[in-house]
C-alpha cells in the first residue's frame, strides 16, 4: 500500500526543535526581567546576577559536553569554540572583582536547572536539547542582548565576553552546521520526541530563572 501523496516527510530534528519550542521561546523572551533588561530599565547589577547564574548553568552543561564527547555521536555536537565557562569567569572578574567566586549567589531556579543538567545531561537526546537551547540561543538572541547591554549599560567588551564568540566570526553558517549535526544524529522517533520535550523543559527552566531574577531586580 502506498502512502497518501499528501503525507509530508517527517520533519528534521532541527526543524522540530525550532517549531516545537516556539511558544516557549516567546514566553522566555517576553518575561518582565528580559524585557526590562533589554529595554534599559534595569542596571549592571541585574546583568551581573544573570551572569552569575549562567556561570553555574554552563559549568554543568560543559561538564556534560566533556563526557558526551567520548560518545561518537555526542562528539559531533561538541565544539570547543562554543565553550563559555572561561568567558563567564572573565566577565564576573570584571563585574564583581577578583573575589567573584565567593561573592556570587546561586538562585534556587538555577540550582534546579543545574540539577536537571547533571541528571540527564549525558544522555545524547537530553544533551542535544540543552546544548541546542543554550548555544543556538546565545548565537541568536544573545547577540541582540549583547548590543542592548552595550547601548543601555555601557558594557563591553569587558563584561560581555559571554556573548563574544572569538572563533565564530559569522553566527549564521555556524548555526547551519550545528543544525546539520543535529539532523545527522541517528535517533529513533521516540528519542526525537524526547529531545523536543527536553528542549521545551530547558526553555521553561530558563523562564523560571528569569521569573526569579525579576522578583529580585524588577
Ligand atoms: C533564535 C531572539 C531569548 C533560544 C532566536 C532568533 C532570534 C532570537 C531573533 C532567530 C535567529 C535566527 O533565525 O538565526 C531572542 C531574543 C531573546 C531571546 C531577543 C531575549 C532577549 C532566548 C532565550 C533562549 C533562546 C532565553 C533560551 C534559553 C533560542 C534558540 C534559537 C533562538 C535555541 C534558535 C532557534 C532555531 O533556529 O532553531 N532568538 N531570543 N532565545 N533563540 Fe532566542
Amino acid at each position: 500500500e502506498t502512502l497518501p501523496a499528501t503525507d509530508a516527510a517527517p520533519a528534521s530534528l532541527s526543524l522540530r526543535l525550532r517549531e516545537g519550542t516556539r511558544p516557549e521561546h516567546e514566553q522566555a523572551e517576553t518575561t518582565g526581567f528580559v524585557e526590562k533588561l533589554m529595554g534599559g530599565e534595569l542596571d549592571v547589577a541585574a546583568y551581573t546576577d544573570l551572569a552569575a547564574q549562567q556561570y553555574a548553568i554552563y559549568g554543568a552543561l560543559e561538564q556534560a559536553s566533556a563526557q558526551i564527547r567520548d560518545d561518537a555521536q555526542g562528539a559531533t555536537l561538541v565544539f570547543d569554540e562554543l565553550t563559555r565557562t572561561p568567558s563567564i569567569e572573565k566577565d564576573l572578574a570584571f563585574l564583581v572583582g577578583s573575589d567573584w567566586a565567593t561573592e556570587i549567589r546561586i538562585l534556587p531556579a538555577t540550582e534546579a536547572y543545574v540539577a536537571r543538567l547533571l541528571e540527564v545531561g549525558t544522555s545524547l537526546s537530553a544533551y542535544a536539547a540543552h546544548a541546542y537551547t543554550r548555544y543556538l540561543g546565545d548565537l541568536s538572541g544573545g547577540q541582540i542582548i549583547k548590543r542592548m547591554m552595550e547601548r543601555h549599560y555601557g558594557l563591553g567588551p569587558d563584561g560581555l565576553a559571554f556573548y563574544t564568540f572569538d572563533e565564530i566570526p559569522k553566527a549564521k553558517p555556524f548555526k547551519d552546521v550545528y543544525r546539520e549535526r543535529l539532523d545527522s544524529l541517528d535517533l529513533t522517533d521516540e528519542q526525537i520526541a524526547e529531545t523536543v520535550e527536553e528542549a521545551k523543559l530547558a526553555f521553561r527552566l530558563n523562564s523560571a530563572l528569569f521569573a526569579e531574577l525579576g522578583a529580585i531586580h524588577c
Side-chain angles (χ1 to χ4, degrees):
E1 196 191 45
T2 50
L3 291 166
T6 50
D7 254 17
S12 61
L13 176 60
S14 66
L15 198 61
R16 290 193 50 181
L17 283 167
R18 181 190 288 165
E19 300 293 333
T21 61
R22 208 184 283 281
E24 284 78 7
H25 185 279
E26 171 83 19
Q27 170 81 41
E29 211 183 334
T30 53
T31 56
F33 178 79
V34 172
E35 287 196 333
K36 289 195 168 71
L37 183 72
M38 296 288 280
E41 295 173 59
L42 303 182
D43 51 21
V44 175
Y47 173 75
T48 301
D49 207 352
L50 174 61
Q53 309 317 307
Q54 285 173 338
Y55 173 70
I57 293 161
Y58 283 79
L61 179 60
E62 292 175 358
Q63 187 178 317
S65 304
Q67 290 180 44
I68 202 100
R69 77 187 312 166
D70 291 340
D71 172 80
Q73 291 210 72
T76 68
L77 295 179
V78 180
F79 293 81
D80 287 332
E81 54 269 54
L82 288 175
T83 308
R84 294 293 89 197
T85 300
S87 303
I88 305 172
E89 290 174 345
K90 243 189 274 174
D91 288 342
L92 288 171
F94 172 77
L95 294 162
V96 180
S98 55
D99 58 348
W100 65 269
T102 53
E103 284 296 308
I104 62 170
R105 151 200 62 158
I106 303 308
L107 296 171
T110 305
E111 300 282 11
Y113 194 166
V114 166
R116 183 67 185 170
L117 285 166
L118 297 179
E119 185 193 344
V120 301
T122 54
S123 108
L124 181 62
S125 56
Y127 178 80
H130 284 282
Y132 160 80
T133 302
R134 287 301 334 187
Y135 293 125
L136 256 55
D138 300 334
L139 287 165
S140 307
Q143 300 309 299
I144 307 170
I145 296 174
K146 180 184 183 185
R147 286 200 292 279
M148 293 303 123
M149 298 307 101
E150 289 169 345
R151 180 179 303 173
H152 296 304
Y153 308 114
L155 285 170
D158 286 331
L160 293 174
F162 174 78
Y163 299 98
T164 308
F165 291 85
D166 286 326
E167 295 161 75
I168 305 178
K170 284 188 189 307
K172 168 85 169 76
F174 184 90
K175 288 193 285 185
D176 289 344
V177 169
Y178 198 91
R179 289 192 191 96
E180 280 169 26
R181 296 288 178 90
L182 288 169
D183 294 341
S184 301
L185 296 175
D186 187 19
L187 300 176
T188 63
D189 288 351
E190 196 186 344
Q191 285 173 310
I192 287 180
E194 271 171 24
T195 308
V196 176
E197 282 312 305
E198 190 68 25
K200 291 184 188 193
L201 174 62
F203 272 89
R204 290 199 297 272
L205 290 165
N206 281 281
S207 288
L209 171 57
F210 296 145
E212 217 163 272
L213 286 167
I216 297 166
H217 295 281
C218 292

